[in-house]
Amino acid sequence: MNKSLSYLILWAFLSIIGVFVGCTSHKSHYVVVLSMDGFRSDYPDKAHVPTLDSLGRAGVKSAFRPSFPSVTFPNHYTLATGLHPDHHGLVNNFFYAPDLDLIYRIGDNDAVTNPAFYGGEPIWNTAEKQGLRAASFFWVGSEAPIQGMQPSICKTYDKTVPFRVRADSVIAWLQLPEEIRPRLIMWYMEEPDAIGHSDTPDSPTTIAKVEELDKVLAYFFAEARKLKHFDEIDFIVLSDHGMATYSPDKYVNLNDYLPRDSFDYIFDGVPTLLYPKETYTDSAYAILQQAPHVKAYKKGEIPEQFVYGSNPRIGDLVVIPDIGTYVQFRSESNPRLGGAHGYDNFAPEMEAIFYAAGPSFKKNVELPPMANVNLYLTIARLLNLQPAPNDGDIQVVEQLFRP
Ligand code: AMP
Ligand code: ZN
Ligand code: ZN
């Protein structure tokens, strides 16, 4: 008998008697992941959030360190794939892809639904390929047929859908007949990111929004608790990044330093990606060393901790503002007060919430911050899925689980 056939027979035998090497399997086990955009890790300490607090007591509370750049699309797709943006190819919310000769913009439906932008394997594909149905309510990437696949249930993005309606859909999906019920559900809310941008993370209105979101969670969990199989569901509530206040006195307009026509593409903001015309990189780099409140790097010389700089889609120059600085490259300057993210992903202001509670997780445990590349492996482990290659660390993931 050849080796692979005997392995297959052994695997089938172990499966029948319910032994899965290295992990436990449960026939009907569900994972529900909610992302609340821009929910900074310290907001729960500043607000009255009884639902999040009880989630922390019921399970594991930690914080998620975003991957660089600490913006929405790269990080949601990192959460889905377990890969750093440098490795999955969604290198910013806005970028030029020389491999496709196309520009990616988060508001551009043709770009967002084009699978060619998305590398790696999102967890919903891993699940579907291994026979488990997955559902997405607005998770970044789920609208594109990546590897020719999409989650069994997925929605076209529409930010006007009220959060409670989204919660109701998730509950309804969990009530579907068992044969078609999704085993993995990933859903999303745009707040408190929007209010953090407009009003700053320090404003009372941001804290009020956080409290409002906690009430949506209270509603969701009250409904979930009514499900017969509530005890079979592992819940994860997380965010993609935090938020920092920037002020007008530290505003930088790169237009004051560099000629626009020396660049093929400019994507300004935090961070700023610059694509200098041939031979202009060194001059632009030298000039940028004079600009205040920013650090400019040549691609390839970006400090290792950012895991950023090998992907051809990253501009030849990357400008990372200091916390407190907003950067533009515009003909008109617009210095103002506001909130932003996209900064150094190790800055405490960029840290996001992470809560996990359910039958698989430890109870009432607080863990130090973890890199968000670990979510993919966490879900794979929960659903007993063979993971695709990823940047997660199984030792970090194992700390979350009950022995
Ligand atoms: P950011 O600029 O990084 O703060 O991006 C946040 C914005 O991304 C939010 O205002 C959302 O409207 C938008 N967004 C989040 N998820 C999606 C999605 N799946 N499709 C389109 N836009 C999205
Ligand atoms: Zn975000
Ligand atoms: Zn944002």
Side-chain angles (χ1 to χ4, degrees):
M1 199 186 316
N2 79 29
K3 218 170 150 193
S4 56
L5 185 62
S6 52
Y7 180 75
L8 205 71
I9 291 169
L10 175 67
W11 180 256
F13 173 70
L14 291 174
S15 304
I16 289 162
I17 61 167
V19 178
F20 283 83
V21 188
C23 45
T24 54
S25 157
H26 202 289
K27 199 163 164 279
S28 58
H29 189 93
Y30 303 88
V31 176
V32 177
V33 184
L34 167 65
S35 167
M36 293 190 285
D37 202 311
F39 206 121
R40 198 166 85 176
S41 63
D42 67 346
Y43 285 168
D45 306 329
K46 301 181 165 188
H48 178 61
V49 285
T51 313
L52 278 179
D53 290 344
S54 67
L55 204 59
R57 284 192 300 273
V60 180
K61 182 183 178 195
S62 179
F64 250 1
R65 189 171 57 249
S67 301
F68 189 83
S70 49
V71 294
T72 300
F73 272 58
N75 274 283
H76 276 95
Y77 198 56
T78 287
L79 291 162
T81 58
L83 295 169
H84 289 284
D86 197 39
H87 302 159
H88 64 52
L90 223 57
V91 299
N92 196 15
N93 281 346
F94 309 89
F95 60 90
Y96 170 67
D99 51 317
L100 308 171
D101 193 20
L102 287 174
I103 289 174
Y104 188 90
R105 285 199 179 87
I106 64 173
D108 174 351
N109 193 54
D110 286 345
V112 165
T113 56
N114 181 351
F117 282 109
Y118 301 84
E121 179 169 295
I123 189 70
W124 52 82
N125 280 8
T126 308
E128 298 270 355
K129 283 180 187 179
Q130 295 176 48
L132 303 190
R133 287 166 64 89
S136 159
F137 208 123
F138 297 164
W139 203 278
V140 167
S142 62
E143 280 183 77
I146 299 162
Q147 302 174 320
M149 302 173 67
Q150 278 181 276
S152 291
I153 305 175
C154 98
K155 299 264 181 186
T156 302
Y157 185 68
D158 172 5
K159 64 174 166 194
T160 66
V161 177
F163 298 155
R164 279 180 193 241
V165 171
R166 304 181 197 192
D168 286 337
S169 279
V170 173
I171 297 294
W173 294 343
L174 288 166
Q175 288 168 323
L176 285 170
E178 210 174 334
E179 319 81 71
I180 56 163
R181 192 181 299 153
R183 299 271 301 275
L184 168 64
I185 297 175
M186 302 180 71
W187 61 304
Y188 169 80
M189 299 183 197
E190 292 81 358
E191 293 285 8
D193 181 74
I195 192 107
H197 282 295
S198 60
D199 292 15
T200 82
D202 308 312
S203 98
T205 48
T206 299
I207 298 309
K209 181 61 77 179
V210 163
E211 295 181 351
E212 195 184 308
L213 291 167
D214 195 73
K215 292 195 179 100
V216 178
L217 282 187
Y219 168 76
F220 172 72
F221 282 109
E223 292 303 305
R225 228 168 260 117
K226 295 178 194 161
L227 297 167
K228 274 201 283 272
H229 52 292
F230 175 73
D231 291 341
E232 305 285 333
I233 310 172
D234 281 308
F235 293 94
I236 299 175
V237 175
L238 54 75
S239 187
D240 51 348
H241 51 72
M243 189 68 71
T245 300
Y246 62 83
S247 58
D249 54 309
K250 292 186 192 142
Y251 172 83
V252 173
N253 190 349
L254 296 176
N255 205 51
D256 298 342
Y257 299 86
L258 296 163
R260 293 183 69 81
D261 58 6
S262 296
F263 297 87
D264 289 324
Y265 302 98
I266 294 168
F267 299 100
D268 64 352
V270 190
T272 291
L273 303 192
L274 299 173
Y275 301 70
K277 292 206 158 99
E278 238 174 287
T279 73
Y280 191 63
T281 302
D282 287 342
S283 315
Y285 175 78
I287 294 167
L288 284 168
Q289 303 312 306
Q290 313 305 317
H293 312 307
V294 300
K295 289 188 185 62
Y297 298 102
K298 282 188 204 172
K299 175 183 174 171
E301 294 178 4
I302 300 170
E304 223 172 283
Q305 74 195 59
F306 291 116
V307 196
Y308 199 68
S310 76
N311 198 294
R313 297 174 179 179
I314 298 167
D316 284 345
L317 292 171
V318 177
V319 180
I320 308 176
D322 299 340
I323 294 267
T325 286
Y326 195 75
V327 165
Q328 288 185 312
F329 198 144
R330 305 278 162 110
S331 41
E332 300 257 313
S333 287
N334 180 23
R336 57 189 182 90
L337 180 72
H341 49 90
Y343 298 100
D344 177 345
N345 55 321
F346 285 81
E349 293 88 342
M350 293 300 101
E351 220 174 73
I353 52 163
F354 178 89
Y355 295 85
S360 309
F361 294 109
K362 285 180 182 161
K363 249 174 107 73
N364 203 9
V365 166
E366 194 160 343
L367 294 175
M370 307 176 286
N372 71 352
V373 290
N374 289 300
L375 182 74
Y376 175 90
L377 260 188
T378 302
I379 301 173
R381 166 78 160 70
L382 287 169
L383 293 173
N384 197 25
L385 298 169
Q386 186 62 42
N390 65 86
D391 294 324
D393 177 346
I394 193 66
Q395 276 173 323
V396 172
V397 168
E398 287 296 341
Q399 321 169 75
L400 299 168
F401 299 115
R402 291 184 193 187

